[in-house]
Amino acid sequence: MRSAPVRLGLALCLSCLTAVIGLQGRQRGTAGSPPAADAAVQFEDITQQAGLTFRHTNGASADKHIVETMSSGGLFFDYDNDGWLDVFLVDGGSLADPKVAATARDRLYRNRRDGTFEDVTAAARLTHQGFGVGACAGDFDNDGWTDLYLTRDGANALYKNNGNGSFTDVTQTAGVASTRMSTSCAFADVDKDGDLDLFVASIGPTALFRNRRADSGDSVFADATVPAGTYHNTIRSLEFTQLEPGVVDRKVYAPGIGIVVERALAGGQEVAKLVKVTG
């Protein structure tokens, strides 16, 4: 007479266990169970609330200069070492109208850590010159503070982070001045000496600047474009991307050295140029 209650109790326990396992499986998003619609990642435009009031100056004119057809770049970097990412936005300019050109200026926004940003461009002493196109950030002198390099249709600029909220233009002394129409750039330690080198893509010859700090101790760069085999005069470079070090093919790529990829436009067609770091 006791067998029926026992079987009933066992069935109820198994049913509860099955329900719990099923609930856990749904919560974990197990294979074969698509996430609920309300679980999808949602984005909200908070530009105005965050205080990012930047408006890009494209300088569009009847002459249709190529630089007018491109928007400028921007980046997140922690310029004040407080652990919060700040925002730097590159402004354009005008080649046809000096009055429009005078209104353009790059912007540095400091993260207030409360979801808003403060325009600190003037205090940072980041002056706008030429028609801005792109930017990259890296600690080229290994002093613990992230520096900034700007590409332009005109003279590029390297700004050293002073560590007190301001920057100093060290372009000439560092040897990285360029008057080509530069587009993008990237800092990368291509020779594995512990110091960041600089690659600059341009509408014209590209440039690779080797950081000689390990040799001379003064963070002066040397143009290593031709010796490194990265000189391209017929390719119009628009983007430069450094991929993370990793093993792709041990017979070709040295683990830990990594690779660089140059994307460009040549003859109207997009091409990919792979440059292997050999030492």
Side-chain angles (χ1 to χ4, degrees):
M1 296 297 294
R2 295 179 182 177
S3 59
V6 170
R7 287 196 298 271
L8 178 60
L10 179 60
L12 289 174
C13 289
L14 290 175
S15 297
C16 293
L17 181 60
T18 301
V20 170
I21 293 175
L23 177 60
Q24 289 178 338
R26 287 194 295 273
Q27 288 177 337
R28 293 174 182 173
T30 54
S33 301
D38 58 358
V41 176
Q42 300 291 323
F43 289 89
E44 178 184 357
D45 186 349
I46 59 170
T47 309
Q48 296 302 316
Q49 301 95 299
L52 298 173
T53 57
F54 174 83
R55 182 178 292 274
H56 177 254
T57 306
N58 69 359
S61 69
D63 297 327
K64 299 186 183 300
H65 297 285
I66 187 172
V67 72
E68 298 172 0
T69 67
M70 300 185 294
S71 180
S72 300
L75 53 86
F76 288 97
F77 76 117
D78 183 11
Y79 88 98
D80 53 1
N81 279 1
D82 65 352
W84 294 74
L85 290 177
D86 309 295
V87 176
F88 182 80
L89 298 173
V90 182
D91 205 356
S94 176
L95 302 180
D97 190 337
K99 292 183 179 179
V100 174
T103 66
R105 69 185 184 99
D106 305 322
R107 302 289 182 88
L108 175 63
Y109 292 94
R110 185 181 69 84
N111 194 328
R112 288 174 168 158
R113 314 182 211 180
D114 62 358
T116 64
F117 292 81
E118 174 189 7
D119 188 341
V120 295
T121 311
R125 301 193 325 212
L126 292 170
T127 58
H128 180 88
Q129 298 175 356
F131 201 117
V133 181
C136 55
D139 184 10
F140 79 90
D141 54 359
N142 270 349
D143 65 352
W145 296 88
T146 306
D147 311 296
L148 191 62
Y149 188 80
L150 308 183
T151 59
R152 299 166 172 155
D153 180 15
N156 294 345
L158 174 63
Y159 287 99
K160 171 182 165 53
N161 192 329
N162 298 322
N164 60 3
S166 68
F167 291 79
T168 298
D169 188 338
V170 296
T171 313
Q172 298 301 323
T173 56
V176 290
S178 175
T179 56
R180 306 183 184 110
M181 180 185 163
S182 300
T183 52
S184 61
C185 58
F187 283 102
D189 184 8
V190 299
D191 54 2
K192 299 290 288 181
D193 65 352
D195 296 302
L196 291 178
D197 308 296
L198 176 63
F199 182 89
V200 181
S202 303
I203 303 296
T206 57
L208 174 63
F209 297 99
R210 178 180 175 272
N211 193 330
R212 299 190 302 173
R213 182 176 177 275
D215 303 329
S216 59
D218 57 4
S219 292
V220 173
F221 291 80
D223 191 335
T225 309
V226 175
T230 58
Y231 178 85
H232 307 293
N233 192 30
T234 58
I235 292 179
R236 304 296 182 256
S237 303
L238 296 179
E239 178 183 354
F240 177 80
T241 305
Q242 181 194 4
L243 303 184
E244 292 295 328
V247 179
V248 180
D249 185 338
R250 287 185 181 274
K251 295 181 180 180
V252 179
Y253 307 109
I257 292 180
I259 59 174
V260 292
V261 175
E262 178 185 337
R263 294 177 183 174
L265 292 177
Q269 299 296 320
E270 182 175 2
V271 299
K273 179 69 176 181
L274 178 64
V275 182
K276 187 179 76 169
V277 179
T278 58

